[in-house]
Amino acid sequence: MILHDYLPSGNGYKIRLLLSLLGQSYQLKSYDIVKGESRTAEFLALNPNGKIPVLEFDDGRCLAESNAVLFYLAQGTPFWPQDVWQQAQVIKWMSFEQYSHEPNIASPRFWLTHAGVTAERQAQLADKQQQGYAALAVMEQHLSQHDYFVANTLTIADIALYAYTHVAEEGGFDLQKFPAVLAWLERVAQVNNYVSINDDSARVS
Amino acid sequence: MILHDYLPSGNGYKIRLLLSLLGQSYQLKSYDIVKGESRTAEFLALNPNGKIPVLEFDDGRCLAESNAVLFYLAQGTPFWPQDVWQQAQVIKWMSFEQYSHEPNIASPRFWLTHAGVTAERQAQLADKQQQGYAALAVMEQHLSQHDYFVANTLTIADIALYAYTHVAEEGGFDLQKFPAVLAWLERVAQVNNYVSINDDSARVS
């Protein structure tokens, strides 16, 4: 498998983390998305939406959208529950991640650490801070009563939400206000075969 | 079942459309989200994230996030494919809808038709127009080669994307540039038991 990715990306990291937990090796092909390398004709042939990550299988099939890749890789593993109601909860939390969490928590980090804060982005930062904190509060409420998001065990819902939450402070968010979130981050980081966002040693080139 | 909803919402309409296609009746409980009715303590007990739609089952269980509700209701029906690779494509397109499509196509419609265009929103409109047209172009490319998004048949991927695409012109988008999208919209609207976004006659109160 080839993971077409950008190493600082939390969306790519979701897949790198799950592949590591599953003990699966892969090749990493890096793109500098700030320089537009995910908008070339070659890349658009992999994903017409022009976004990393894309997982390319040995038979040439490609799958884009990080949470769809998590869904596919997790089939038949403990990271995707067998019960349909619990599966729906996983989809619910992954939808929450894509809509309420990632745009507010990941974008400020990307702007502050990689892409730069333009005037237009500066104008959006306060709103994103407010909505990002609201998303963290929803997580805090749930995690104050549960060790994990679904089925009392680590699923791809946790992996999807972990990716950008654990680096939220790079986007200006103070996680000290969220003790249950901090305890959950620690719980995830203790899992067997855990790999950090900047560690690409698990792959085989 | 009780659908907690706001009738102009495309996210709520996804569920109303699928329930109609499935011939399932439900009660509708309306909230005026512009007036903050989805942020009351009573509503937050249904969905701590404070967003409609929420589907409440007869045993009191609640499910939020429109695409998670589609996933749950479609199990065992033709609207959720049996093949795992095709299922992953459905999740991919529903992720695309939540991240690349809905925020750019639904928000301008909501601002222009219901919530009002503040100065801050005005500043974001050009960017959302550009990204919304990019999402429509991705759909056009796919639909120029396929009748539906996945598995050559109507699935919840189509329902998720139909909801806001078919009213995109209310958000200032010109769909005449996308003939394959227009043909697909027509195809969906011809399905048995189709219901329009403002028609709540399929429900039973």
Side-chain angles (χ1 to χ4, degrees):
Chain A
M1 291 184 291
I2 303 172
L3 181 62
H4 301 269
D5 200 1
Y6 170 62
L7 211 55
S9 164
N11 284 321
Y13 173 55
K14 296 174 191 173
I15 301 171
R16 284 178 260 134
L17 178 53
L18 180 57
L19 285 170
S20 181
L21 300 186
L22 293 172
Q24 293 193 27
S25 61
Y26 59 98
Q27 293 178 42
L28 186 75
K29 186 165 180 188
S30 286
Y31 299 79
D32 188 337
I33 61 175
V34 181
K35 291 184 179 163
E37 291 181 1
S38 61
R39 303 286 171 161
T40 64
E42 184 188 3
F43 188 90
L44 292 173
L46 302 172
N47 178 12
N49 199 29
K51 295 190 195 300
I52 59 90
V54 176
L55 189 59
E56 181 179 354
F57 296 90
D58 292 344
D59 60 7
R61 286 175 306 152
C62 286
L63 186 57
E65 296 291 343
S66 57
N67 292 345
V69 177
L70 291 183
F71 168 87
Y72 187 71
L73 292 174
Q75 297 301 305
T77 81
F79 303 109
W80 175 249
Q82 295 193 315
D83 175 78
V84 170
W85 178 252
Q86 292 177 341
Q87 290 174 357
Q89 305 304 310
V90 172
I91 302 289
K92 179 189 80 171
W93 284 110
M94 293 204 303
S95 299
F96 166 84
E97 190 269 338
Q98 284 289 283
Y99 194 85
S100 299
H101 182 279
E102 200 273 16
N104 299 309
I105 291 179
S107 297
R109 169 179 175 262
F110 183 61
W111 297 345
L112 289 165
T113 61
H114 292 92
V117 181
T118 60
E120 188 191 353
R121 287 168 178 166
Q122 186 66 47
Q124 293 180 42
L125 267 180
D127 187 49
K128 284 188 179 288
Q129 281 267 330
Q130 184 189 5
Q131 294 193 54
Y133 274 124
L136 290 167
V138 169
M139 294 171 67
E140 178 72 14
Q141 180 181 342
H142 188 82
L143 291 169
S144 66
Q145 297 164 38
H146 304 86
D147 279 354
Y148 296 99
F149 279 95
V150 182
N152 221 28
T153 187
L154 185 80
T155 70
I156 54 173
D158 299 280
I159 294 172
L161 281 162
Y162 179 83
Y164 284 109
T165 305
H166 90 295
V167 290
E169 291 185 343
E170 295 178 15
F173 290 94
D174 179 6
L175 292 181
Q176 298 306 313
K177 302 171 185 173
F178 305 98
V181 170
L182 285 171
W184 166 78
L185 290 176
E186 190 57 37
R187 218 171 283 132
V188 175
Q190 296 300 320
V191 168
N192 270 349
N193 297 319
Y194 174 87
V195 65
S196 80
I197 190 167
N198 291 314
D199 179 359
D200 61 357
S201 62
R203 69 187 168 90
V204 173
S205 311
Chain B
M1 291 185 291
I2 303 172
L3 181 63
H4 301 269
D5 200 1
Y6 170 64
L7 211 57
S9 164
N11 285 320
Y13 173 55
K14 296 173 190 174
I15 300 171
R16 283 177 261 134
L17 178 53
L18 179 57
L19 285 170
S20 180
L21 299 186
L22 293 171
Q24 293 194 25
S25 62
Y26 59 98
Q27 293 179 41
L28 186 74
K29 186 165 179 187
S30 286
Y31 299 80
D32 188 337
I33 61 174
V34 180
K35 291 186 181 164
E37 291 180 0
S38 62
R39 302 287 171 161
T40 64
E42 184 188 3
F43 189 89
L44 291 173
L46 301 172
N47 179 12
N49 199 29
K51 294 191 196 300
I52 58 89
V54 176
L55 189 59
E56 181 179 354
F57 296 90
D58 292 344
D59 60 7
R61 287 176 305 153
C62 286
L63 186 56
E65 296 291 341
S66 57
N67 291 346
V69 177
L70 291 183
F71 168 86
Y72 187 71
L73 293 174
Q75 297 300 306
T77 80
F79 304 108
W80 175 249
Q82 294 193 317
D83 176 77
V84 170
W85 179 252
Q86 291 177 344
Q87 291 173 357
Q89 306 304 310
V90 172
I91 302 289
K92 179 190 80 170
W93 283 111
M94 294 203 304
S95 299
F96 166 84
E97 190 267 339
Q98 283 288 283
Y99 194 84
S100 299
H101 182 279
E102 200 273 14
N104 299 310
I105 291 179
S107 296
R109 169 180 175 262
F110 182 60
W111 298 344
L112 289 165
T113 61
H114 293 90
V117 182
T118 61
E120 188 191 353
R121 288 168 178 166
Q122 185 66 46
Q124 292 180 43
L125 267 180
D127 187 49
K128 285 188 179 288
Q129 281 268 329
Q130 184 188 3
Q131 294 193 54
Y133 273 124
L136 290 166
V138 169
M139 294 171 67
E140 178 72 13
Q141 181 180 341
H142 188 83
L143 291 169
S144 67
Q145 297 165 39
H146 305 86
D147 280 354
Y148 296 99
F149 279 95
V150 182
N152 221 27
T153 187
L154 185 80
T155 70
I156 54 173
D158 299 280
I159 294 173
L161 281 161
Y162 179 83
Y164 284 108
T165 305
H166 90 295
V167 289
E169 292 185 344
E170 296 179 14
F173 291 94
D174 178 7
L175 292 180
Q176 299 306 314
K177 302 170 183 173
F178 304 99
V181 170
L182 286 172
W184 166 77
L185 290 176
E186 190 57 37
R187 218 171 283 132
V188 175
Q190 296 300 321
V191 168
N192 269 349
N193 296 319
Y194 174 87
V195 65
S196 80
I197 190 167
N198 292 314
D199 179 359
D200 60 357
S201 62
R203 70 187 166 91
V204 173
S205 307

